[in-house]
Amino acid sequence: MQERLKSQKSNNHDPWQICCGHHLVEILSFGLRKVLGSNKAADVEPNSLERSLRLAYEEIYFYHTQLYLDIRTWESKNQPFRVLRNYT
């Protein structure tokens, strides 16, 4: 099994295409119940964790991402359409 995992890892797969944010939250939820903590399942259920993570993410961090730049580029090429409000 470990050899198979090693060979799959070396195939130049993009890990973000294999494991998305929802999967990571599921893993975090499991970890907080079993490995990293002893929380009750209801206290760390994935939807609740996702909501908490979104609330904790400050808007200013988004302005420094490639996604933000890509959206602004799209907006400039597709005027008058706007996806994001103006940065203040």
Side-chain angles (χ1 to χ4, degrees):
M1 180 65 159
Q2 287 182 345
E3 290 302 318
R4 183 173 175 221
L5 289 173
K6 287 179 187 177
S7 71
Q8 291 295 321
K9 183 178 178 183
S10 65
N11 284 341
N12 297 324
H13 295 292
D14 180 356
W16 294 111
Q17 296 298 320
I18 296 169
C19 184
C20 72
H22 298 291
H23 298 137
L24 291 174
V25 172
E26 293 274 347
I27 293 166
L28 178 61
S29 174
F30 179 79
L32 290 171
R33 285 181 277 131
K34 305 289 183 180
V35 180
L36 303 173
S38 57
N39 294 288
K40 296 176 186 168
D43 295 337
V44 291
E45 67 99 22
N47 286 336
S48 177
L49 282 177
E50 287 180 5
R51 186 178 322 109
S52 295
L53 289 168
R54 281 192 302 274
L55 289 171
Y57 187 74
E58 294 183 36
E59 191 174 12
I60 192 69
Y61 298 131
F62 178 61
Y63 299 135
H64 299 287
T65 67
Q66 187 62 48
L67 177 59
Y68 176 80
L69 294 173
D70 291 346
I71 292 171
R72 286 299 192 200
T73 300
W74 183 91
E75 287 177 334
S76 68
K77 292 178 180 178
N78 294 279
Q79 292 183 13
F81 299 106
R82 300 289 299 180
V83 175
L84 303 171
R85 67 176 187 244
N86 285 332
Y87 172 64
T88 57

Coordinates of all heavy atoms in Angstrom, one line a residue:
M1 N 0.8 -1.2 0.0 CA 0.0 0.0 0.0 C 0.9 1.3 0.0 O 0.6 2.2 -0.7 CB -0.9 0.0 1.2 CG -1.8 1.1 1.3 SD -3.0 1.2 0.0 CE -4.2 2.2 0.6
Q2 N 1.9 1.3 0.8 CA 2.8 2.5 0.9 C 3.5 2.7 -0.5 O 3.6 3.8 -0.9 CB 3.8 2.3 2.0 CG 3.2 2.5 3.4 CD 4.2 2.4 4.4 OE1 5.3 2.0 4.2 NE2 3.8 2.9 5.6
E3 N 3.9 1.6 -1.1 CA 4.5 1.8 -2.4 C 3.6 2.4 -3.5 O 3.9 3.2 -4.3 CB 5.0 0.4 -2.9 CG 6.2 -0.1 -2.2 CD 7.4 0.9 -2.2 OE1 7.7 1.4 -3.3 OE2 8.0 1.1 -1.1
R4 N 2.3 1.9 -3.4 CA 1.3 2.5 -4.3 C 1.1 4.0 -4.1 O 1.0 4.8 -5.0 CB 0.0 1.7 -4.2 CG -1.1 2.2 -5.1 CD -2.3 1.3 -5.0 NE -3.3 1.9 -5.9 CZ -4.6 1.9 -5.6 NH1 -5.0 1.4 -4.4 NH2 -5.5 2.4 -6.4
L5 N 1.0 4.4 -2.8 CA 0.9 5.8 -2.5 C 2.1 6.6 -2.9 O 1.9 7.7 -3.5 CB 0.7 6.0 -1.0 CG -0.6 5.5 -0.4 CD1 -0.6 5.6 1.1 CD2 -1.8 6.3 -0.9
K6 N 3.3 6.0 -2.8 CA 4.5 6.7 -3.2 C 4.5 6.9 -4.8 O 4.8 7.9 -5.3 CB 5.8 6.0 -2.8 CG 6.1 6.1 -1.3 CD 7.3 5.3 -1.0 CE 7.5 5.3 0.5 NZ 8.7 4.5 0.9
S7 N 4.1 5.9 -5.5 CA 4.0 6.0 -6.9 C 3.0 7.0 -7.4 O 3.2 7.7 -8.3 CB 3.8 4.6 -7.6 OG 2.5 4.2 -7.4
Q8 N 1.9 7.0 -6.7 CA 0.8 8.0 -7.1 C 1.3 9.4 -6.8 O 1.0 10.3 -7.5 CB -0.5 7.7 -6.3 CG -1.2 6.4 -6.7 CD -1.7 6.5 -8.1 OE1 -2.2 7.5 -8.6 NE2 -1.6 5.4 -8.9
K9 N 2.0 9.6 -5.7 CA 2.5 10.9 -5.3 C 3.5 11.4 -6.3 O 3.5 12.6 -6.6 CB 3.1 10.8 -3.9 CG 3.6 12.1 -3.4 CD 4.2 12.0 -2.0 CE 4.7 13.4 -1.5 NZ 5.3 13.3 -0.2
S10 N 4.3 10.5 -6.9 CA 5.3 11.0 -7.8 C 4.7 11.2 -9.3 O 5.5 11.5 -10.2 CB 6.4 9.9 -7.9 OG 5.9 8.7 -8.4
N11 N 3.4 11.1 -9.5 CA 2.9 11.2 -10.8 C 2.5 12.7 -11.1 O 1.7 13.0 -12.0 CB 1.6 10.4 -11.0 CG 2.0 8.9 -11.2 OD1 3.1 8.6 -11.6 ND2 1.1 8.0 -11.0
N12 N 3.1 13.6 -10.4 CA 2.9 15.0 -10.6 C 1.4 15.5 -10.5 O 1.0 16.3 -11.3 CB 3.5 15.5 -11.9 CG 5.0 15.3 -11.9 OD1 5.6 15.5 -10.9 ND2 5.5 14.9 -13.0
H13 N 0.6 14.9 -9.7 CA -0.8 15.3 -9.5 C -0.8 16.6 -8.7 O 0.0 16.8 -7.8 CB -1.6 14.2 -8.7 CG -1.7 12.9 -9.4 ND1 -2.5 12.8 -10.6 CD2 -1.2 11.7 -9.2 CE1 -2.4 11.6 -11.0 NE2 -1.7 10.9 -10.1
D14 N -1.7 17.4 -9.0 CA -1.9 18.7 -8.3 C -2.8 18.3 -7.0 O -3.9 17.9 -7.2 CB -2.7 19.7 -9.1 CG -2.9 21.0 -8.4 OD1 -2.6 21.1 -7.2 OD2 -3.4 21.9 -9.0
P15 N -2.2 18.4 -5.8 CA -3.0 18.0 -4.6 C -4.3 18.8 -4.4 O -5.2 18.2 -3.9 CB -2.0 18.2 -3.5 CG -0.9 19.1 -4.0 CD -0.9 18.9 -5.5
W16 N -4.4 20.0 -5.0 CA -5.6 20.8 -4.8 C -6.7 20.2 -5.7 O -7.8 20.6 -5.5 CB -5.3 22.2 -5.1 CG -4.4 22.8 -4.1 CD1 -3.1 23.2 -4.2 CD2 -4.7 23.0 -2.7 NE1 -2.6 23.6 -3.0 CE2 -3.5 23.5 -2.1 CE3 -5.8 22.8 -1.9 CZ2 -3.5 23.8 -0.7 CZ3 -5.7 23.0 -0.5 CH2 -4.6 23.6 0.0
Q17 N -6.3 19.4 -6.7 CA -7.3 18.8 -7.6 C -7.8 17.5 -7.0 O -8.8 17.0 -7.4 CB -6.8 18.6 -9.0 CG -6.5 19.8 -9.7 CD -7.7 20.7 -9.9 OE1 -8.8 20.3 -10.2 NE2 -7.5 22.0 -9.7
I18 N -7.0 16.9 -6.1 CA -7.4 15.7 -5.5 C -8.1 15.9 -4.2 O -9.1 15.1 -3.9 CB -6.1 14.8 -5.2 CG1 -5.4 14.5 -6.5 CG2 -6.4 13.6 -4.4 CD1 -4.0 14.0 -6.4
C19 N -7.8 16.9 -3.4 CA -8.4 17.1 -2.1 C -8.8 18.6 -2.0 O -7.9 19.5 -2.0 CB -7.4 16.8 -1.0 SG -8.0 17.0 0.6
C20 N -10.1 18.9 -2.1 CA -10.6 20.2 -2.0 C -10.8 20.7 -0.6 O -10.6 19.9 0.4 CB -11.8 20.4 -2.9 SG -13.3 19.6 -2.1
G21 N -11.2 21.9 -0.4 CA -11.4 22.5 0.9 C -12.4 21.7 1.7 O -12.3 21.5 2.9
H22 N -13.5 21.2 1.1 CA -14.5 20.5 1.8 C -13.9 19.2 2.4 O -14.2 18.8 3.5 CB -15.7 20.1 0.9 CG -16.4 21.3 0.4 ND1 -17.2 22.2 1.2 CD2 -16.5 21.9 -0.8 CE1 -17.7 23.2 0.5 NE2 -17.3 23.0 -0.7
H23 N -13.0 18.6 1.6 CA -12.4 17.3 2.1 C -11.5 17.7 3.3 O -11.4 16.9 4.2 CB -11.5 16.7 1.0 CG -12.3 16.3 -0.2 ND1 -11.9 16.5 -1.5 CD2 -13.5 15.6 -0.3 CE1 -12.8 16.0 -2.3 NE2 -13.8 15.5 -1.6
L24 N -10.8 18.8 3.2 CA -9.9 19.2 4.3 C -10.7 19.4 5.6 O -10.2 19.1 6.7 CB -9.0 20.4 3.9 CG -8.0 20.1 2.8 CD1 -7.3 21.4 2.4 CD2 -6.9 19.2 3.3
V25 N -11.8 20.0 5.4 CA -12.7 20.3 6.6 C -13.2 19.0 7.2 O -13.2 18.8 8.4 CB -13.8 21.3 6.3 CG1 -14.8 21.4 7.4 CG2 -13.3 22.6 5.9
E26 N -13.5 18.0 6.3 CA -13.9 16.7 6.8 C -12.8 16.1 7.6 O -13.0 15.5 8.7 CB -14.3 15.8 5.7 CG -15.5 16.2 4.9 CD -16.8 15.7 5.5 OE1 -16.8 14.8 6.4 OE2 -17.9 16.2 5.1
I27 N -11.6 16.2 7.1 CA -10.4 15.6 7.8 C -10.2 16.3 9.1 O -9.9 15.7 10.2 CB -9.2 15.7 6.9 CG1 -9.3 14.7 5.7 CG2 -7.9 15.3 7.7 CD1 -8.3 15.0 4.6
L28 N -10.3 17.7 9.1 CA -10.1 18.4 10.3 C -11.2 18.0 11.4 O -10.9 17.9 12.5 CB -10.2 19.9 10.0 CG -10.2 20.9 11.2 CD1 -8.8 20.7 11.9 CD2 -10.4 22.3 10.7
S29 N -12.4 17.9 10.9 CA -13.5 17.5 11.8 C -13.2 16.1 12.5 O -13.3 16.0 13.7 CB -14.8 17.4 11.0 OG -15.9 16.9 11.8
F30 N -12.8 15.2 11.7 CA -12.4 13.9 12.2 C -11.2 14.0 13.2 O -11.3 13.4 14.3 CB -12.0 12.9 11.0 CG -11.6 11.6 11.5 CD1 -12.5 10.6 11.8 CD2 -10.2 11.2 11.6 CE1 -12.2 9.4 12.3 CE2 -9.9 10.0 12.1 CZ -10.8 9.1 12.4
G31 N -10.2 14.8 12.8 CA -9.1 15.0 13.7 C -9.4 15.6 15.0 O -8.9 15.2 16.1
L32 N -10.3 16.6 15.0 CA -10.7 17.2 16.2 C -11.6 16.3 17.1 O -11.7 16.5 18.3 CB -11.5 18.5 15.9 CG -10.7 19.6 15.3 CD1 -11.6 20.8 14.9 CD2 -9.7 20.1 16.3
R33 N -12.1 15.2 16.6 CA -12.9 14.3 17.4 C -12.0 13.1 17.8 O -12.2 12.6 18.9 CB -14.0 13.7 16.6 CG -15.2 14.6 16.4 CD -16.3 14.0 15.6 NE -16.0 14.2 14.2 CZ -16.1 13.2 13.3 NH1 -16.5 12.0 13.7 NH2 -15.8 13.4 12.0
K34 N -11.0 12.7 17.0 CA -10.3 11.5 17.3 C -8.8 11.7 17.6 O -8.2 11.1 18.5 CB -10.4 10.5 16.1 CG -11.8 10.2 15.7 CD -12.5 9.3 16.7 CE -13.9 9.0 16.1 NZ -14.6 8.2 17.0
V35 N -8.1 12.5 16.8 CA -6.6 12.6 16.9 C -6.2 13.8 17.7 O -5.4 13.7 18.6 CB -6.0 12.6 15.5 CG1 -4.5 12.7 15.6 CG2 -6.5 11.3 14.7
L36 N -6.7 15.0 17.3 CA -6.2 16.3 17.9 C -7.0 16.7 19.1 O -6.6 17.6 19.8 CB -6.3 17.4 16.8 CG -5.6 17.1 15.5 CD1 -5.9 18.2 14.5 CD2 -4.1 17.1 15.8
G37 N -8.1 16.0 19.3 CA -9.0 16.4 20.4 C -10.0 15.3 20.7 O -10.0 14.3 20.0
S38 N -10.9 15.6 21.6 CA -11.9 14.7 22.0 C -13.3 15.3 21.9 O -14.2 15.1 22.7 CB -11.7 14.1 23.4 OG -11.6 15.1 24.3
N39 N -13.4 16.2 20.9 CA -14.7 17.0 20.8 C -15.8 16.0 20.4 O -15.6 15.0 19.7 CB -14.6 18.1 19.7 CG -13.6 19.1 20.2 OD1 -13.9 19.9 21.1 ND2 -12.4 19.2 19.6
K40 N -17.1 16.4 20.7 CA -18.2 15.7 20.3 C -18.4 16.0 18.8 O -18.2 17.1 18.3 CB -19.5 16.1 21.1 CG -19.4 15.8 22.6 CD -20.6 16.3 23.3 CE -20.4 16.1 24.8 NZ -21.4 16.8 25.5
A41 N -19.0 15.0 18.1 CA -19.2 15.2 16.7 C -20.0 16.4 16.4 O -19.8 17.1 15.4 CB -19.8 13.9 16.1
A42 N -21.0 16.7 17.2 CA -21.9 17.8 16.9 C -21.2 19.1 17.1 O -21.6 20.1 16.5 CB -23.1 17.7 17.9
D43 N -20.1 19.1 17.9 CA -19.4 20.4 18.2 C -18.5 20.8 17.0 O -18.1 21.9 16.9 CB -18.6 20.3 19.5 CG -19.5 20.2 20.7 OD1 -20.7 20.6 20.6 OD2 -19.0 19.7 21.7
V44 N -18.1 19.8 16.2 CA -17.1 20.0 15.2 C -17.6 19.5 13.8 O -16.8 19.0 13.0 CB -15.7 19.5 15.5 CG1 -15.1 20.3 16.6 CG2 -15.7 18.0 15.9
E45 N -18.9 19.5 13.6 CA -19.4 19.0 12.4 C -18.9 19.9 11.2 O -18.7 21.1 11.4 CB -20.9 18.8 12.4 CG -21.7 20.0 12.5 CD -22.3 20.4 11.1 OE1 -22.4 19.5 10.3 OE2 -22.6 21.6 11.0
P46 N -18.7 19.3 10.0 CA -18.0 20.0 8.9 C -18.7 21.3 8.5 O -18.0 22.3 8.3 CB -18.1 19.0 7.8 CG -18.0 17.7 8.5 CD -18.8 17.9 9.7
N47 N -20.1 21.4 8.5 CA -20.7 22.6 8.1 C -20.4 23.7 9.1 O -20.2 24.9 8.7 CB -22.2 22.4 7.9 CG -22.6 21.7 6.7 OD1 -21.8 21.7 5.7 ND2 -23.7 21.0 6.7
S48 N -20.4 23.4 10.3 CA -20.2 24.4 11.4 C -18.7 24.9 11.3 O -18.4 26.1 11.4 CB -20.4 23.8 12.7 OG -20.1 24.7 13.8
L49 N -17.8 23.9 11.1 CA -16.4 24.3 10.9 C -16.2 25.2 9.7 O -15.4 26.2 9.8 CB -15.5 23.1 10.8 CG -15.2 22.3 12.0 CD1 -14.4 21.0 11.7 CD2 -14.5 23.1 13.0
E50 N -16.8 24.9 8.6 CA -16.7 25.7 7.4 C -17.2 27.1 7.7 O -16.6 28.1 7.3 CB -17.4 25.1 6.2 CG -16.8 23.9 5.6 CD -17.5 23.3 4.5 OE1 -18.5 23.9 4.0 OE2 -17.1 22.2 4.0
R51 N -18.3 27.2 8.3 CA -18.9 28.6 8.7 C -17.9 29.3 9.5 O -17.6 30.5 9.3 CB -20.2 28.4 9.4 CG -20.9 29.7 9.6 CD -22.3 29.5 10.3 NE -23.0 28.3 9.9 CZ -23.2 27.2 10.6 NH1 -22.7 27.1 11.8 NH2 -23.9 26.2 10.1
S52 N -17.3 28.7 10.5 CA -16.4 29.4 11.4 C -15.1 29.8 10.7 O -14.6 30.9 11.0 CB -16.0 28.4 12.6 OG -17.1 28.1 13.4
L53 N -14.6 29.0 9.8 CA -13.4 29.3 9.0 C -13.7 30.5 8.1 O -12.9 31.4 8.0 CB -12.9 28.1 8.3 CG -12.3 27.0 9.1 CD1 -12.1 25.8 8.2 CD2 -11.0 27.5 9.7
R54 N -14.9 30.5 7.5 CA -15.2 31.7 6.7 C -15.3 33.0 7.5 O -14.8 34.0 7.0 CB -16.6 31.4 5.9 CG -16.5 30.5 4.7 CD -17.7 30.6 3.9 NE -18.9 30.2 4.6 CZ -19.3 28.9 4.8 NH1 -18.7 27.9 4.3 NH2 -20.4 28.7 5.5
L55 N -15.9 32.9 8.7 CA -16.0 34.1 9.5 C -14.6 34.5 10.0 O -14.4 35.7 10.2 CB -16.9 33.8 10.7 CG -18.4 33.6 10.4 CD1 -19.2 33.1 11.6 CD2 -19.0 35.0 9.9
A56 N -13.7 33.6 10.2 CA -12.4 34.0 10.7 C -11.5 34.5 9.6 O -10.5 35.2 9.9 CB -11.7 32.7 11.3
Y57 N -11.8 34.3 8.3 CA -11.0 34.8 7.2 C -11.2 36.3 7.0 O -12.3 36.7 6.6 CB -11.3 34.0 6.0 CG -10.4 34.2 4.8 CD1 -9.1 33.7 4.8 CD2 -10.8 34.9 3.7 CE1 -8.2 33.9 3.7 CE2 -10.0 35.2 2.6 CZ -8.7 34.7 2.6 OH -7.9 34.9 1.6
E58 N -10.2 37.1 7.2 CA -10.3 38.5 7.1 C -10.3 38.9 5.6 O -9.5 38.3 4.8 CB -9.2 39.2 7.8 CG -9.4 39.0 9.3 CD -8.3 39.8 10.1 OE1 -8.0 40.9 9.7 OE2 -7.9 39.3 11.1
E59 N -11.1 39.8 5.2 CA -11.2 40.3 3.8 C -9.9 40.7 3.3 O -9.6 40.5 2.1 CB -12.3 41.4 3.8 CG -12.7 41.8 2.4 CD -13.8 42.8 2.5 OE1 -14.1 43.4 3.6 OE2 -14.4 43.1 1.4
I60 N -9.1 41.4 4.1 CA -7.8 41.9 3.6 C -6.9 40.8 3.0 O -6.1 41.0 2.1 CB -7.1 42.7 4.7 CG1 -5.9 43.5 4.1 CG2 -6.6 41.8 5.8 CD1 -6.3 44.7 3.2
Y61 N -7.0 39.6 3.6 CA -6.2 38.5 3.1 C -6.6 38.1 1.6 O -5.8 37.7 0.8 CB -6.3 37.3 4.0 CG -5.8 37.5 5.4 CD1 -6.5 37.1 6.5 CD2 -4.5 38.1 5.6 CE1 -6.0 37.3 7.8 CE2 -4.0 38.3 6.9 CZ -4.8 37.9 7.9 OH -4.3 38.2 9.2
F62 N -7.9 38.2 1.4 CA -8.4 37.9 0.0 C -7.8 38.8 -1.0 O -7.5 38.3 -2.1 CB -9.9 37.9 0.0 CG -10.5 37.6 -1.3 CD1 -10.3 36.4 -1.9 CD2 -11.3 38.6 -2.0 CE1 -10.9 36.1 -3.1 CE2 -11.9 38.3 -3.2 CZ -11.7 37.0 -3.8
Y63 N -7.6 40.0 -0.7 CA -7.0 41.0 -1.7 C -5.6 40.6 -2.1 O -5.1 41.2 -3.1 CB -7.1 42.4 -1.1 CG -8.4 42.9 -0.7 CD1 -8.7 43.5 0.4 CD2 -9.5 42.7 -1.6 CE1 -10.0 44.0 0.8 CE2 -10.8 43.1 -1.3 CZ -11.0 43.8 -0.1 OH -12.2 44.2 0.2
H64 N -5.0 39.7 -1.4 CA -3.6 39.3 -1.8 C -3.5 38.0 -2.5 O -2.5 37.4 -2.6 CB -2.7 39.3 -0.5 CG -2.6 40.6 0.1 ND1 -1.9 41.7 -0.4 CD2 -3.2 41.1 1.2 CE1 -2.0 42.7 0.4 NE2 -2.8 42.5 1.4
T65 N -4.7 37.4 -2.9 CA -4.7 36.1 -3.5 C -4.8 36.2 -5.1 O -5.2 37.3 -5.6 CB -6.0 35.3 -3.1 OG1 -7.1 35.9 -3.6 CG2 -6.0 35.2 -1.6
Q66 N -4.4 35.2 -5.7 CA -4.5 35.1 -7.2 C -5.9 35.1 -7.6 O -6.2 35.7 -8.7 CB -3.7 33.8 -7.7 CG -3.6 33.8 -9.2 CD -2.8 34.9 -9.8 OE1 -1.8 35.2 -9.3 NE2 -3.4 35.6 -10.8
L67 N -6.8 34.5 -6.8 CA -8.2 34.5 -7.2 C -8.7 35.9 -7.3 O -9.5 36.3 -8.2 CB -9.0 33.7 -6.2 CG -10.5 33.7 -6.4 CD1 -10.9 33.1 -7.7 CD2 -11.2 32.9 -5.3
Y68 N -8.4 36.8 -6.3 CA -8.8 38.2 -6.4 C -8.3 38.9 -7.6 O -9.1 39.5 -8.3 CB -8.3 38.9 -5.1 CG -8.6 40.4 -5.1 CD1 -9.9 40.8 -4.8 CD2 -7.7 41.3 -5.5 CE1 -10.2 42.2 -4.8 CE2 -8.0 42.7 -5.5 CZ -9.2 43.1 -5.2 OH -9.5 44.4 -5.2
L69 N -7.0 38.7 -7.9 CA -6.5 39.3 -9.1 C -7.1 38.8 -10.4 O -7.4 39.5 -11.3 CB -5.0 39.0 -9.2 CG -4.1 39.6 -8.1 CD1 -2.7 39.2 -8.2 CD2 -4.2 41.1 -8.2
D70 N -7.4 37.5 -10.4 CA -8.1 36.9 -11.6 C -9.5 37.5 -11.8 O -9.9 37.8 -12.9 CB -8.2 35.4 -11.5 CG -6.8 34.7 -11.6 OD1 -5.8 35.4 -12.1 OD2 -6.7 33.5 -11.3
I71 N -10.2 37.6 -10.7 CA -11.6 38.2 -10.8 C -11.5 39.6 -11.2 O -12.3 40.1 -12.1 CB -12.3 38.1 -9.4 CG1 -12.6 36.6 -9.1 CG2 -13.6 38.9 -9.4 CD1 -13.1 36.4 -7.7
R72 N -10.6 40.4 -10.7 CA -10.5 41.8 -11.1 C -10.1 41.9 -12.6 O -10.6 42.8 -13.3 CB -9.4 42.6 -10.3 CG -9.9 42.9 -8.9 CD -11.1 43.8 -9.0 NE -11.5 44.3 -7.6 CZ -12.6 44.8 -7.3 NH1 -13.6 44.8 -8.2 NH2 -12.9 45.2 -6.1
T73 N -9.2 41.0 -13.1 CA -8.9 41.0 -14.5 C -10.1 40.7 -15.3 O -10.3 41.3 -16.4 CB -7.7 39.9 -14.7 OG1 -6.6 40.3 -14.0 CG2 -7.4 39.9 -16.2
W74 N -10.9 39.7 -14.9 CA -12.1 39.3 -15.6 C -13.0 40.5 -15.7 O -13.6 40.8 -16.7 CB -12.8 38.1 -15.0 CG -14.0 37.7 -15.8 CD1 -14.0 36.8 -16.7 CD2 -15.3 38.2 -15.6 NE1 -15.3 36.7 -17.2 CE2 -16.1 37.5 -16.5 CE3 -15.9 39.1 -14.7 CZ2 -17.5 37.8 -16.6 CZ3 -17.2 39.4 -14.9 CH2 -18.0 38.7 -15.8
E75 N -13.2 41.2 -14.6 CA -14.1 42.4 -14.5 C -13.6 43.4 -15.5 O -14.5 44.0 -16.2 CB -14.1 43.0 -13.1 CG -14.9 42.1 -12.1 CD -14.8 42.7 -10.7 OE1 -13.8 43.5 -10.4 OE2 -15.7 42.5 -9.9
S76 N -12.3 43.7 -15.6 CA -11.8 44.7 -16.5 C -12.1 44.4 -18.0 O -12.3 45.2 -18.8 CB -10.4 45.0 -16.2 OG -9.6 43.9 -16.6
K77 N -12.1 43.1 -18.3 CA -12.3 42.6 -19.6 C -13.7 42.5 -20.0 O -14.1 42.3 -21.2 CB -11.5 41.3 -19.9 CG -10.0 41.4 -19.8 CD -9.4 40.1 -20.0 CE -7.9 40.2 -20.0 NZ -7.2 38.9 -20.1
N78 N -14.6 42.5 -19.0 CA -16.0 42.2 -19.2 C -16.9 43.3 -18.6 O -17.9 43.1 -18.0 CB -16.4 40.9 -18.6 CG -15.7 39.7 -19.3 OD1 -16.2 39.3 -20.4 ND2 -14.6 39.2 -18.8
Q79 N -16.5 44.6 -18.8 CA -17.3 45.7 -18.3 C -18.6 45.8 -19.0 O -18.7 45.4 -20.2 CB -16.5 47.0 -18.5 CG -15.3 47.0 -17.6 CD -14.5 48.3 -17.7 OE1 -15.0 49.3 -18.2 NE2 -13.3 48.3 -17.2
P80 N -19.6 46.1 -18.4 CA -19.8 46.7 -17.1 C -20.0 45.8 -15.9 O -20.4 46.2 -14.8 CB -21.0 47.6 -17.2 CG -21.9 46.8 -18.1 CD -20.9 46.1 -19.1
F81 N -19.8 44.5 -16.1 CA -20.1 43.5 -15.1 C -19.1 43.6 -13.9 O -17.9 43.8 -14.1 CB -20.0 42.1 -15.7 CG -21.0 41.8 -16.8 CD1 -20.6 41.8 -18.1 CD2 -22.4 41.7 -16.4 CE1 -21.6 41.6 -19.1 CE2 -23.3 41.5 -17.5 CZ -22.9 41.5 -18.8
R82 N -19.7 43.5 -12.7 CA -18.9 43.5 -11.5 C -19.2 42.3 -10.7 O -20.3 41.9 -10.5 CB -19.2 44.7 -10.7 CG -19.0 46.1 -11.3 CD -17.6 46.4 -11.5 NE -16.9 46.5 -10.2 CZ -15.6 46.8 -10.0 NH1 -14.9 47.0 -11.1 NH2 -15.1 46.9 -8.9
V83 N -18.1 41.6 -10.2 CA -18.3 40.5 -9.3 C -18.0 40.9 -7.8 O -18.8 40.5 -6.9 CB -17.3 39.4 -9.7 CG1 -17.3 38.2 -8.7 CG2 -17.6 38.9 -11.1
L84 N -17.0 41.8 -7.6 CA -16.6 42.2 -6.3 C -16.9 43.7 -6.1 O -16.9 44.4 -7.1 CB -15.1 42.0 -6.1 CG -14.6 40.5 -6.3 CD1 -13.1 40.5 -6.3 CD2 -15.2 39.6 -5.2
R85 N -17.2 44.0 -4.9 CA -17.4 45.5 -4.6 C -16.0 46.1 -4.6 O -15.0 45.5 -4.6 CB -18.1 45.7 -3.3 CG -17.3 45.3 -2.1 CD -18.1 45.6 -0.8 NE -17.2 45.4 0.3 CZ -17.4 44.5 1.3 NH1 -18.5 43.7 1.2 NH2 -16.6 44.3 2.2
N86 N -16.0 47.4 -4.7 CA -14.8 48.2 -4.7 C -14.0 48.0 -3.4 O -14.6 48.1 -2.3 CB -15.0 49.7 -5.0 CG -15.3 49.9 -6.5 OD1 -14.9 49.1 -7.3 ND2 -16.1 50.9 -6.8
Y87 N -12.7 47.9 -3.5 CA -11.9 47.8 -2.3 C -11.7 49.2 -1.7 O -11.4 50.1 -2.4 CB -10.5 47.2 -2.8 CG -9.5 47.2 -1.7 CD1 -9.6 46.5 -0.5 CD2 -8.3 48.0 -1.8 CE1 -8.6 46.4 0.4 CE2 -7.3 48.0 -0.9 CZ -7.5 47.2 0.3 OH -6.5 47.2 1.2
T88 N -11.9 49.2 -0.4 CA -11.8 50.5 0.2 C -10.7 50.5 1.3 O -10.4 49.5 1.9 CB -13.1 51.0 0.9 OG1 -13.5 50.0 1.8 CG2 -14.1 51.3 -0.1

